[in-house]
Amino acid sequence: MAAAKGAEDVDISTLSLEDPEVSVRFSVKFDSTFGQRVILSGPAERLGNYDPSKAVALDYEHPSRWCQTVKFRLPLALAAPAGDCAAAATDFAEDGNGTVLEYKFAIVDDRDGGSTTWELGAARTLALAPGAAAESPTLPIAPLVVAQAEFRSASDLPRDVFCSSAFTDVVFRREPADRVSAAVRSARDASAVAAAMVAGHGAMAVRFVVFAPRVVAGDTVCVAGDHAALGGGTVAAAVPLDDTELPYWTGTVALPPGTTDFAYHFVIRRPASGGGGDVERVVSEAPYSRRFSLLEGDVAAVRGVGGGHTAIVSPPSDLSFVYPRPWKGSGVAVPVFSLRSPSGCGVGEFVDLEAMVDLCVASGWQMLQLLPVNDTTAYGDYRDSYPYSAVSSFALHPQYIHLPSVAQLQGDLAAEYEAEAARLNALPEIDYVDVMAVKMRFLCRLYASEKEEVLQSRAFLDWFGANQGWAVPYALFRFLAHINGSCEFDGWGARAAMTPAEMEALAAPDTFHFDHIGLALFTQFHLHRQLQAASAYASRHSVVFKGDLPIGVNRYCADTWQHPELFRLRMQAGAPPDFFSTAGQNWLFPTYDWTAMAADGYGWWRTRLGHMATYFHAYRIDHILGFFRIWEIPHSFLTGMAGRFRPVHGIPKAELEALGLWDMDRYTRPYVREGFLYDAFGGRGGEVKDRFFVHLFHDRLGFRPEFDTERKLAAALRPEEAGADGAFIKDVRKELVKLLNNVVLLADVEEEGVYHPRFGLERTSSFAELPSEEWKGALRRLYHDYFFVRQEALWRSSGLAKLPVIQAASKMMVCGEDLGMIPACVPDVLDETSIMGLRVQRMPEGDIEFGTPAKYPYATVCTTSSHDTSTLRAWWEEQDHSAKARYWSGIMRRSDAPPPTATGALVRAVVEDHLVSPSMWTVLPLQDWLGMDEALRRPVATEEQINDPGDPHHIWRFRLHLSVRALLEKKALTAQWAGMSTKAGRGPPY
């Protein structure tokens, strides 16, 4: 092997604590083959700054073991009272608590020109001073550190998930006051090092680090071994580790000279119930299942430490406690707006979430999943009820504010509010427009009476200081939309675009219109306090708040107004034709300009997720496939049929011609024959032909220029204005839109001479009536290649460019809605980026009818239904008898006849089947939990569905038919729910 680049021979015997240097012997296990070598690099000059050509090369010392010793110069301040630390600045990162070395290993393969493959997972950290950062094995200063490791060739998604705030701050939270402090931990480490020094030449201090996230308060992780220093096999004498750096447990043990090999394992113990200092084992790994061993080079290095010092050896810090079974949790999904409370005002409010947390605790659920809660007030009508069309990715929706918590209502104002709240609460569904009118009316009055005190308070000023980057543009957007009568900022004249300085001046407190700005800020401040209080309440009760990250934003919103350069405003995001909609979906959101977003490291996304983490411990990425490729629809279309994926490798005209496909006019022009119109409209076919078409040749027709786009047709055909002929006009519009999309190829709207296969082209009459079987065969092969082969590498790189940044932007647990037409690269990318997938039984992966919960992967969230589907009860009643029979026998493994209706017993059986699945989380809509109680659930199953994605004009107004407090009183039901989760092994830590 070649000499190590950057390595230095170290005369360890000459080192002293007065000489601020430390030698680190890196030892990594990797089963290499001839032609492979291992390198080490990191963001330090000594380690090559992650440049493989400047990295440290490791030597092959032993089968499967690569080693190298590197000398680092510590900051002088760590070893002497004063000194110039500049020399060490390139070697270490100062984290405020200590000196941390960051690094990763990589494999260089000389067989293919020196390609470099970095190990998976986060960068490793080695802390070489007391008080180190989290997840770092903390090592007191020593002249030699032996850092053992195993090359990470596979991702460790469960580890990353358990490192998220959902677990560290909620499910397995330990109060800071009950944890070992950094000072105590450092003193213990120093004591162990001192004991090793006293033991004599060749002794060492072994630093154990184990990842053990599932430890309840009061329990302690210990290391036990067959060596006397590790208890000699007695659990009571095992060495307790410190929980300073949760979810990692650390501890240093002095071992006498001559120790080179011993067996050990980890155990979790707690004080015995009888007291008296006794302990009991709670859960243990297999006894002596781990092995500590030193190579000859390690032994020589340890023995080489002289001058009254000792070496510190750190076994692999990737070690994870081996539990007897994987942890699993359960939860409930419910939109905030659907909650019902006697103290509310016609809609669910943030303060109602505390009662939902209580319901979770009583029902044995560890997660409360919500829909988006951002402000969507763009148009001032029922369109604003759509929670996925935000006018700000940061601002919260005013409908969720609890007015009595803003300020105490007095006298006539209180009576007026109570009357309005009682009226709105009596409605079976949400009247969105009425609720918003009432809440804004009272907010204006509360603002007038409270603004002086609130806007000058320290709490408000602190909030404003942390949020003004988005809050000022948002407040101005609301104000300008109000005075212009529209949120469509294209028509705001000089205010259509503003610089930050102009925004600051326009929002100044001394302007005559400031109360419009102040009201928006006042409202957001109180919404923040109410949601934050609910989130803190959930954390204290070990319930994870899971939010929802919409894939898009409203075309006219504060984000697109403030940062137009980040969006493709002439394009629209949507979905191709699918289970939900045969015409596809057009969400009307602009697509993202990912190139512009990448220029500053996706700063908008990082800021957005950092803000979201203020309230949530986990989140669902809506339509995560959009981070790989988005279905992009040109502005002239209203449906999703004429979309194409972006990014995408289009098909050049030369490639088509090489396949014998030369007639671009035939492939791209809407294929309309005169007979189509008479088939569709009978005797009125001639009327439709004369108004909308021109004759081309034979019986072929072409659309008139004034009707040749979907938007033009929509403008010309308004059923609501057609009186008695409205139904016919509606049918005409629907049929003509289908004919506009009756093509087999789409010309790219931005790149001339490039084409895309029309999605589902074989189902069109244009394809069916192609005159050549050769053309049909070529198009079939091209279609398969385009959608399932040629894009995979592009989409993989697209996902990997964005998702690691998204995942690392916060400590929240990340789940992805990976449903629909899933590229083959998606599962691997989600695994590599530690993002959990979603499983919905009626929308399975592959060519099968139903998903089988028993076969779901562990790193998934499984559910019976979602806000975009019918509930479990309604779905069952939609199925014909044969489908029910296949499900009942094939999935539920039952030999009797399936129930014709969704009885409570059937719902319970299906829920239990999901609970016992291997998925880490089973999170079901509240309607499906309620479905097993025939006396409590709604009489009509179809009334339980939240959204109809096939209806672009759907109004989101679903509301629970009983209050959360009323549910809490159903103790037999909540006990039943809790028992079902416990029986399925969901909830218990061990």
Side-chain angles (χ1 to χ4, degrees):
M1 285 293 172
K5 183 179 180 63
E8 301 181 40
D9 294 329
V10 182
D11 182 4
I12 298 172
S13 64
T14 65
L15 298 177
S16 69
L17 289 182
E18 284 69 36
D19 183 7
E21 293 180 332
V22 62
S23 295
V24 180
R25 176 177 164 81
F26 296 99
S27 177
V28 59
K29 182 179 179 181
F30 176 70
D31 293 318
S32 59
T33 59
F34 183 78
Q36 292 180 316
R37 49 194 172 89
V38 182
I39 61 172
L40 163 77
S41 193
E45 185 175 346
R46 186 70 57 89
L47 297 182
N49 289 310
Y50 284 123
D51 180 347
S53 66
K54 299 178 181 178
V56 174
L58 276 64
D59 291 334
Y60 183 78
E61 285 194 6
H62 186 274
S64 303
R65 183 68 65 173
W66 293 73
C67 306
Q68 190 56 262
T69 301
V70 183
K71 183 190 293 185
F72 298 95
R73 186 171 183 81
L74 292 171
L76 295 175
L78 295 175
D84 182 7
C85 299
T90 57
D91 287 347
F92 297 99
E94 296 292 338
D95 73 332
N97 294 315
T99 303
V100 179
L101 180 70
E102 177 185 314
Y103 62 99
K104 290 188 82 169
F105 297 104
I107 307 302
V108 178
D109 196 330
D110 293 323
R111 296 171 301 179
D112 60 3
S115 65
T116 302
T117 303
W118 293 96
E119 63 178 342
L120 298 177
R124 300 173 184 271
T125 54
L126 187 66
L128 300 175
E135 305 177 18
S136 306
T138 306
L139 307 173
I141 300 173
L144 172 69
V145 173
V146 178
Q148 299 180 336
E150 293 188 13
F151 188 86
R152 296 191 301 243
S153 57
S155 60
D156 192 351
L157 188 150
R159 176 188 290 252
D160 289 341
V161 168
F162 281 111
C163 280
S164 70
S165 58
F167 290 97
T168 61
D169 298 348
V170 184
V171 178
F172 299 113
R173 70 193 305 266
R174 294 167 76 93
E175 296 296 339
D178 298 328
R179 290 164 53 183
V180 174
S181 69
V184 170
R185 187 270 312 274
S186 296
R188 291 176 179 175
D189 289 344
S191 177
V193 173
M197 291 180 183
V198 171
H201 184 71
M204 61 184 166
V206 177
R207 179 67 172 168
F208 293 97
V209 180
V210 61
F211 179 70
R214 294 160 48 189
V215 183
V216 299
D219 291 357
T220 302
V221 178
C222 307
V223 58
D226 59 2
H227 194 287
L230 300 177
T234 303
V235 172
V239 178
L241 303 180
D242 297 332
D243 58 357
T244 312
E245 309 293 355
L246 288 179
Y248 292 83
W249 292 71
T250 62
T252 305
V253 180
L255 291 173
T259 304
T260 61
D261 185 89
F262 58 84
Y264 70 102
H265 65 282
F266 297 103
V267 61
I268 299 175
R269 72 186 189 193
R270 69 173 54 134
S273 55
D278 294 333
V279 296
E280 61 178 299
R281 177 173 54 195
V282 178
V283 62
S284 174
E285 298 181 324
Y288 311 132
S289 54
R290 303 181 185 274
R291 199 87 206 168
F292 173 88
S293 62
L294 295 178
L295 301 177
E296 291 183 8
D298 299 332
V299 174
V302 170
R303 289 176 178 170
V305 177
H309 301 304
T310 190
I312 294 175
V313 179
S314 177
S317 58
D318 298 79
L319 301 180
S320 293
F321 190 96
V322 179
Y323 295 90
R325 61 178 180 271
W327 183 88
K328 298 192 295 183
S330 58
V332 61
V334 63
V336 177
F337 59 72
S338 72
L339 302 180
R340 187 179 289 274
S341 167
S343 64
C345 186
V347 69
E349 298 171 343
F350 287 148
V351 297
D352 298 328
L353 291 173
E354 292 192 10
M356 272 304 304
V357 169
D358 293 340
L359 182 64
C360 288
V361 173
S363 305
W365 301 326
Q366 295 78 44
M367 177 177 284
L368 175 57
Q369 178 174 316
L370 308 174
L371 290 184
V373 293
N374 294 98
D375 188 5
T376 59
T377 52
Y379 306 105
D381 58 30
Y382 291 102
R383 287 175 290 176
D384 295 346
S385 69
Y386 181 32
Y388 287 90
S389 184
V391 297
S392 170
S393 296
F394 301 87
L396 300 170
H397 203 302
Q399 72 172 330
Y400 299 123
I401 199 164
H402 183 57
L403 293 166
S405 295
V406 173
Q408 187 173 1
L409 302 172
Q410 302 288 343
D412 292 343
L413 188 63
E416 182 183 349
Y417 171 76
E418 289 171 4
E420 290 283 47
R423 177 178 64 82
L424 294 170
N425 281 338
L427 299 175
E429 296 180 312
I430 300 167
D431 187 327
Y432 177 86
V433 173
D434 203 355
V435 165
M436 283 300 296
V438 169
K439 290 210 170 188
M440 293 312 298
R441 186 170 82 242
F442 281 94
L443 270 171
C444 288
R445 296 170 74 173
L446 289 174
Y447 170 74
S449 63
E450 303 291 326
K451 63 180 179 180
E452 298 297 336
E453 179 180 351
V454 171
L455 298 187
Q456 296 178 27
S457 67
R458 173 47 52 192
F460 173 83
L461 293 174
D462 288 345
W463 171 84
F464 182 73
N467 294 277
Q468 60 181 321
W470 66 263
V472 169
Y474 162 77
L476 283 172
F477 179 84
R478 302 281 346 121
F479 166 59
L480 292 171
H482 173 71
I483 63 174
N484 285 284
S486 171
C487 65
E488 298 181 359
F489 51 77
D490 297 342
W492 291 357
R495 301 300 188 190
M498 295 181 65
T499 65
E502 290 171 334
M503 290 185 184
E504 185 177 352
L506 190 61
D510 58 355
T511 56
F512 74 93
H513 55 259
F514 177 75
D515 278 341
H516 290 276
I517 310 300
L519 174 62
L521 299 176
F522 175 89
T523 303
Q524 288 301 312
F525 170 66
H526 282 289
L527 285 164
H528 158 76
R529 297 184 74 175
Q530 292 179 15
L531 181 54
Q532 190 176 57
S535 176
Y537 186 83
S539 295
R540 292 195 302 271
H541 290 80
S542 299
V543 174
V544 175
F545 260 17
K546 182 180 177 183
D548 199 316
L549 184 73
I551 186 61
V553 297
N554 192 294
R555 164 66 176 81
Y556 295 103
C557 70
D559 300 88
T560 56
W561 178 60
Q562 184 182 7
H563 301 293
E565 72 282 359
L566 301 181
F567 301 88
R568 287 167 57 82
L569 296 175
R570 297 299 296 174
M571 293 293 178
Q572 307 162 102
D578 62 4
F579 173 85
F580 293 122
S581 176
T582 57
Q585 298 177 54
N586 182 350
W587 303 325
L588 304 178
F589 306 148
T591 55
Y592 298 114
D593 189 328
W594 290 110
T595 301
M597 287 183 159
D600 69 345
Y602 304 97
W604 180 79
W605 284 99
R606 288 185 285 108
T607 303
R608 181 183 183 185
L609 288 161
H611 179 74
M612 192 176 183
T614 304
Y615 314 109
F616 297 101
H617 319 111
Y619 64 97
R620 164 191 175 271
I621 300 180
D622 171 51
H623 192 65
I624 197 171
L625 303 183
F627 287 88
F628 295 83
R629 79 292 184 274
I630 196 73
W631 190 249
E632 190 175 65
I633 306 161
H635 182 72
S636 60
F637 289 88
L638 293 175
T639 70
M641 287 187 281
R644 71 291 314 270
F645 286 120
R646 179 184 172 85
V648 73
H649 292 307
I651 304 171
K653 185 178 181 180
E655 181 180 349
L656 292 168
E657 291 175 339
L659 295 172
L661 300 170
W662 52 268
D663 193 348
M664 297 305 135
D665 183 75
R666 172 62 179 84
Y667 310 138
T668 62
R669 181 191 289 270
Y671 182 74
V672 184
R673 288 194 295 105
E674 192 170 331
F676 292 173
L677 303 182
Y678 290 102
D679 290 343
F681 306 114
R684 301 188 70 171
E687 176 186 339
V688 174
K689 181 190 72 172
D690 292 342
R691 180 178 177 188
F692 296 98
F693 294 93
V694 296
H695 180 261
L696 297 178
F697 54 86
H698 301 303
D699 66 343
R700 285 285 305 279
L701 303 176
F703 279 89
R704 294 182 181 275
E706 59 267 35
F707 304 118
D708 62 359
T709 72
E710 290 185 14
R711 286 193 179 273
K712 291 177 181 179
L713 282 174
L717 297 170
R718 299 179 181 274
E720 65 277 9
E721 300 175 0
D725 223 17
F728 175 72
I729 295 300
K730 184 176 181 180
D731 289 342
V732 170
R733 175 171 161 177
K734 181 178 180 181
E735 188 65 26
L736 293 186
V737 166
K738 289 168 59 177
L739 290 175
L740 265 176
N741 291 283
N742 192 27
V743 299
V744 293
L745 292 180
L746 299 165
D748 195 285
V749 295
E750 294 179 323
E751 192 172 357
E752 188 174 356
V754 173
Y755 299 86
H756 309 271
R758 189 255 204 223
F759 192 86
L761 63 83
E762 286 191 71
R763 296 191 293 272
T764 66
S765 57
S766 177
F767 180 87
E769 298 190 10
L770 285 172
S772 166
E773 288 300 320
E774 287 75 14
W775 282 2
K776 290 182 179 179
L779 285 167
R780 287 191 186 99
R781 293 188 294 272
L782 191 65
Y783 182 91
H784 181 271
D785 177 77
Y786 177 91
F787 283 110
F788 302 106
V789 179
R790 73 168 63 190
Q791 317 298 345
E792 284 298 320
L794 174 64
W795 290 344
R796 175 181 172 81
S797 63
S798 176
L800 285 174
K802 310 172 190 106
L803 289 175
V805 178
I806 300 297
Q807 198 273 346
S810 75
K811 283 192 63 181
M812 293 183 287
M813 182 176 71
V814 190
C815 307
E817 186 232 346
D818 52 341
L819 305 175
M821 184 180 171
I822 304 173
C825 63
V826 170
D828 287 343
V829 171
L830 295 189
D831 187 59
E832 288 180 36
T833 53
S834 297
I835 296 175
M836 303 180 71
L838 176 66
R839 296 296 181 272
V840 182
Q841 189 172 46
R842 72 188 75 170
M843 290 179 280
E845 295 179 293
D847 189 20
I848 55 177
E849 187 174 15
F850 310 112
T852 303
K855 297 180 180 180
Y856 291 162
Y858 177 63
T860 57
V861 180
C862 80
T863 188
T864 47
S865 54
S866 77
H867 65 273
D868 277 332
T869 71
S870 54
T871 58
L872 174 57
R873 289 172 59 205
W875 171 75
W876 182 259
E877 293 170 8
E878 293 165 1
Q879 307 306 304
D880 60 30
H881 177 75
S882 61
K884 291 175 181 176
R886 291 191 298 274
Y887 179 88
W888 196 240
S889 61
I891 303 299
M892 300 303 295
R893 301 168 298 282
R894 298 284 290 267
S895 59
D896 57 331
T901 60
T903 62
L906 179 142
V907 173
R908 179 186 173 105
V910 175
V911 169
E912 287 177 333
D913 196 44
H914 282 70
L915 287 171
V916 298
S917 77
S919 295
M920 176 186 283
W921 289 98
T922 296
V923 182
L924 312 179
L926 183 54
Q927 302 96 301
D928 287 352
W929 285 107
L930 287 170
M932 64 184 70
D933 189 319
E934 296 182 25
L936 200 60
R937 66 192 191 184
R938 282 181 186 259
V940 181
T942 54
E943 294 177 354
E944 297 176 329
Q945 185 165 341
I946 295 171
N947 176 45
D948 178 5
D951 178 7
H953 305 295
H954 175 80
I955 300 172
W956 295 62
R957 53 191 172 196
F958 171 76
R959 200 167 191 209
L960 294 171
H961 59 295
L962 38 78
S963 72
V964 181
R965 292 296 177 191
L967 273 176
L968 278 167
E969 295 173 2
K970 306 296 181 181
K971 299 189 182 301
L973 180 60
T974 57
Q976 181 187 51
W977 290 338
M980 291 169 65
S981 289
T982 300
K983 183 180 178 181
R986 295 192 176 273
Y990 311 133

